[in-house]
Amino acid sequence: MIYIADAYYRLSKEDGDKAESDSILNQKALIKEFLREHPNIHLYKERVDDGFSGVNFERPSFQKMLSDIQSGKINCVIVKDLSRFGRNYIETGRYIEKIFPLLGVRFIAINDNIDTVYHRGSYEEIWIPFKNLMNDAYCKDISIKVRSHLDMKRKTGQYIGSFAPYGYKKSTENKNKLIIDERAACIVYQIFQWKIEGMSSFRIVDKLNELGIPTPMEYKRENDKNFQCSFHTKLNPKWIANEINRILQNEVYTGVLLQGKTFSISYKLKKRIRKEEKEWIRYENSHEPIISKEDFKLVKFLLDTDTRVAPKEQTLYLFSGLTKCGYCRGNMTKKTIPIHGKTYNYLVCIENKNKNGCQNKKQISLEKFKKVILKIINLHVKRLFELNQMLELRPKSNYFLEELKNIIIEKEEEIEKKYHYIDEVYEDYKEKVITKEEYLELKNFFEFRVVTLKEEVQALKEEIKKQPKEKEDRIKKANQIVEYQGFKELTRELLLRLVKEIRIYDKNRVEIDFKFQSELK
């Protein structure tokens, strides 16, 4: 009888030291020699799953082989040995004992001397399930060893993720060590600064998209040749608020590694279960931080505080989330009141809007309140802290400015490419390589991208104009502290770094809870 066969090869990391003897090349050589000795078996296809575990059977080439069987193209399967076919005791046995016989498929495992076309004696009846059980046990043993090894790496502060978090890259000398990627790190730093300065996550998203800053995934696609992802993105992907919040909540930017957050309930299942936070493996000072612990605490406070932004405003008002009513402990909020054709800002207790209301009916002038608070802060700082230890207002990193310039260069080069593409498609149209409709469609697409890129370049140039002044202002503030001149201006960043809470009773009674010195370091 003539048999039409698929030769099946498989190799994965679980094979460990046996990888050389079980290499795909070795498997092919063995099966080809077997086919030469059995001329009644004709090869239809070679199916290869390189890098796939034998624990489950959801392997692409294995599924193609099953399709060959179901469509009647083959009636024979050949493997080097049972372990190449699979390492799941139950599933391997089900295919060999039930499915293949039902479909009239001959199964051959060369090194195990298994050929289902011949009658099997009691020895083979016992040997095949026992061999499958051994392969299953081997896989379980490897899984336990791998888990133990990975846990050891986590506990010693080694990074075991497939790809480094945005803002970092893996060291070329040690793949388990994170080092700062300056280009991406300056964006991370800027996101934290914008949040501290009062921007909402949605406004930060708008800012990054206006400037045409690549998203973390696109940045990896462009800069990491090993990065692969099954998710397909749009042509011009945009930042989203959830992405910003994930960055703002990720402690990795303070030099901390938090690993081992999930586990699989079985080596046979891909599904992972999330552990309780107390079971996570935490390692301090694993790598160089991008964000100070102080800034991370400030941002955490902002994220945990109800600091919603009015629709017409792009940033939080100065005291958002910090001021409370001294009587009912409700939030004090900003209210704009028109008086004689002009508008004035006041602080009012939000509970006054409720049915029962609050006994604090006073409206505090925001401008006068700011002056009072600034005066109290300066008195407090002068009295309680050595100024050179109290607060460091460091200038922004030059990397963000340099990154903006680099992005402008890249976008201008991209504009030139698009103009070149427009010329090329026109030549193709003239030579009748493409139709008029195809030419117009491509031309409109490239012209649209040129317009978008030019808008992004203009936004980047406007942002660059702001950078030197911001940096100069921050240096001046730092110098003011060193020279014991006090703070000249009340900023949101200053409030967040110094103040826990402000309780307002009326214009003559205000209480401030300051942060301790240890919390400011």
Side-chain angles (χ1 to χ4, degrees):
M1 181 178 175
I2 300 299
Y3 288 93
I4 310 300
D6 269 1
Y8 180 72
Y9 317 110
R10 185 190 65 80
L11 186 69
S12 74
K13 292 180 181 179
E14 72 190 18
D15 298 303
D17 296 334
K18 294 174 61 183
E20 185 175 350
S21 63
D22 279 334
S23 68
I24 299 298
L25 192 63
N26 181 281
Q27 294 177 55
K28 285 185 176 182
L30 182 71
I31 291 177
K32 284 181 179 178
E33 181 63 28
F34 178 85
L35 290 171
R36 277 194 292 270
E37 296 173 359
H38 297 77
N40 65 321
I41 303 176
H42 298 171
L43 182 65
Y44 177 70
K45 291 280 187 181
E46 290 184 304
R47 300 298 186 184
V48 182
D49 279 320
D50 194 355
F52 288 85
S53 170
V55 173
N56 69 73
F57 288 83
E58 298 301 319
R59 310 171 219 144
S61 288
F62 186 88
Q63 292 300 317
K64 289 177 182 177
M65 184 175 69
L66 290 183
S67 296
D68 291 343
I69 293 172
Q70 292 165 357
S71 61
K73 294 175 181 176
I74 67 168
N75 59 357
C76 181
V77 172
I78 306 174
V79 294
K80 174 178 176 281
D81 56 46
L82 283 173
S83 69
R84 299 306 92 209
F85 184 74
R87 291 189 182 275
N88 186 315
Y89 164 65
I90 295 174
E91 284 298 300
T92 301
R94 189 168 70 90
Y95 275 104
I96 297 172
E97 300 288 338
K98 294 183 179 181
I99 297 176
F100 286 172
L102 184 64
L103 297 173
V105 175
R106 179 181 180 182
F107 178 77
I108 301 170
I110 299 171
N111 282 356
D112 291 323
N113 294 317
I114 295 170
D115 189 339
T116 58
V117 78
Y118 299 111
H119 176 70
R120 294 180 299 176
S122 59
Y123 170 77
E124 290 185 3
E125 295 279 353
I126 297 172
W127 171 245
I128 292 177
F130 183 69
K131 183 73 174 178
N132 286 334
L133 186 59
M134 286 170 46
N135 288 329
D136 194 313
Y138 172 80
C139 196
K140 182 177 181 179
D141 182 58
I142 290 295
S143 174
I144 292 171
K145 289 178 180 177
V146 168
R147 288 188 189 188
S148 176
H149 181 64
L150 292 178
D151 274 346
M152 180 275 294
K153 284 191 169 185
R154 294 185 185 106
K155 290 174 182 177
T156 55
Q158 299 182 62
Y159 182 76
I160 62 168
S162 300
F163 298 96
Y166 182 64
Y168 288 99
K169 57 187 176 182
K170 291 186 177 182
S171 168
T172 53
E173 290 79 19
N174 179 3
K175 66 178 182 179
N176 298 121
K177 179 71 175 178
L178 294 178
I179 59 175
I180 287 180
D181 178 355
E182 297 293 359
R183 290 197 65 181
C186 72
I187 303 300
V188 172
Y189 178 81
Q190 193 61 47
I191 288 171
F192 273 84
Q193 289 303 305
W194 280 333
K195 188 66 179 178
I196 290 172
E197 290 165 10
M199 281 193 186
S200 68
S201 296
F202 289 101
R203 176 54 190 143
I204 294 173
V205 164
D206 292 340
K207 188 81 169 176
L208 292 169
N209 288 332
E210 287 167 9
L211 298 175
I213 306 293
T215 64
M217 186 175 290
E218 282 307 299
Y219 182 81
K220 280 187 170 65
R221 288 186 196 276
E222 295 170 5
N223 295 276
D224 189 344
K225 62 181 180 181
N226 296 318
F227 179 73
Q228 294 180 347
C229 182
S230 59
F231 292 101
H232 297 284
T233 60
K234 298 178 182 178
L235 182 64
N236 188 25
K238 301 292 185 182
W239 288 80
I240 58 175
N242 284 345
E243 210 161 28
I244 298 300
N245 290 333
R246 279 196 296 269
I247 288 174
L248 294 173
Q249 293 169 356
N250 196 342
E251 261 190 286
V252 73
Y253 299 119
T254 66
V256 174
L257 274 185
L258 281 173
Q259 300 185 105
K261 297 180 180 180
T262 62
F263 71 99
S264 58
I265 57 178
S266 169
Y267 68 98
K268 295 181 180 181
L269 301 175
K270 290 184 178 180
K271 184 178 180 181
R272 300 192 67 81
I273 308 297
R274 191 170 181 83
K275 295 181 181 178
E276 293 184 20
E277 189 171 345
K278 63 182 180 181
E279 296 178 3
W280 297 354
I281 298 175
R282 182 185 184 89
Y283 195 93
E284 299 277 351
N285 303 317
S286 166
H287 49 272
E288 185 179 353
I290 297 173
I291 304 300
S292 69
K293 291 188 182 296
E294 174 197 341
D295 284 355
F296 189 82
K297 286 180 181 179
L298 288 177
V299 168
K300 186 177 186 306
F301 166 78
L302 289 173
L303 294 173
D304 292 342
T305 306
D306 184 9
T307 51
R308 286 167 287 187
V309 182
K312 295 181 180 180
E313 299 184 15
Q314 294 183 343
T315 57
L316 299 169
Y317 92 94
L318 194 61
F319 296 99
S320 182
L322 293 173
T323 50
K324 302 283 185 181
C325 173
Y327 296 103
C328 70
R329 301 308 298 273
N331 287 327
M332 297 290 285
T333 186
K334 183 177 73 170
K335 182 178 181 181
T336 302
I337 301 174
I339 301 175
H340 303 304
K342 294 184 179 181
T343 57
Y344 297 89
N345 293 320
Y346 291 87
L347 283 172
V348 296
C349 177
I350 198 169
E351 294 300 321
N352 282 326
K353 298 179 181 179
N354 297 335
K355 184 177 180 181
N356 296 329
C358 171
Q359 62 177 308
N360 188 358
K361 304 294 184 182
K362 300 294 184 180
Q363 296 181 155
I364 311 298
S365 168
L366 187 57
E367 288 303 314
K368 292 180 179 178
F369 184 72
K370 284 164 61 176
K371 293 177 182 178
V372 170
I373 297 301
L374 180 60
K375 184 177 180 180
I376 294 173
I377 285 176
N378 278 322
L379 289 171
H380 176 77
V381 169
K382 185 177 180 181
R383 185 175 68 250
L384 297 179
F385 295 102
E386 290 293 330
L387 296 182
N388 62 338
Q389 295 177 346
M390 188 279 301
L391 181 63
E392 178 189 0
L393 285 173
R394 55 191 176 284
K396 289 184 181 177
S397 166
N398 279 329
Y399 286 119
F400 183 62
L401 184 60
E402 294 304 315
E403 176 64 4
L404 295 181
K405 293 177 180 177
N406 288 334
I407 294 173
I408 286 177
I409 294 171
E410 291 171 0
K411 290 187 181 297
E412 287 177 339
E413 290 175 353
E414 189 67 22
I415 290 170
E416 290 302 316
K417 286 182 183 178
K418 294 296 181 285
Y419 280 131
H420 180 66
Y421 294 155
I422 292 171
D423 293 338
E424 282 188 342
V425 295
Y426 178 69
E427 292 299 321
D428 289 343
Y429 167 61
K430 283 176 62 180
E431 295 174 8
K432 298 184 178 180
V433 176
I434 59 176
T435 65
K436 182 178 180 181
E437 290 75 17
E438 290 172 330
Y439 161 66
L440 291 174
E441 183 179 351
L442 290 169
K443 177 175 176 288
N444 289 337
F445 169 75
F446 291 133
E447 287 179 344
F448 174 77
R449 280 297 293 147
V450 166
V451 171
T452 303
L453 288 166
K454 284 184 175 180
E455 289 174 351
E456 291 173 353
V457 167
Q458 185 59 38
L460 286 163
K461 288 180 177 178
E462 292 298 323
E463 187 67 22
I464 285 175
K465 290 179 183 177
K466 301 175 186 176
Q467 292 302 306
K469 185 177 186 304
E470 288 183 3
K471 182 178 177 182
E472 182 181 338
D473 288 347
R474 292 171 69 85
I475 291 172
K476 285 180 180 178
K477 289 177 185 177
N479 289 338
Q480 287 168 2
I481 297 172
V482 173
E483 295 168 4
Y484 296 88
Q485 295 178 358
F487 299 103
K488 304 299 181 184
E489 179 187 359
L490 188 63
T491 65
R492 179 154 180 84
E493 182 176 358
L494 179 61
L495 282 169
L496 289 173
R497 293 186 186 279
L498 293 177
V499 175
K500 284 183 178 179
E501 183 180 278
I502 302 173
R503 291 182 295 278
I504 303 172
Y505 294 88
D506 54 49
K507 64 181 180 180
N508 297 317
R509 185 185 174 190
V510 175
E511 296 176 356
I512 302 179
D513 281 347
F514 286 98
K515 293 182 177 179
F516 293 108
Q517 182 175 351
S518 60
E519 292 180 293
L520 297 171
K521 291 184 179 179

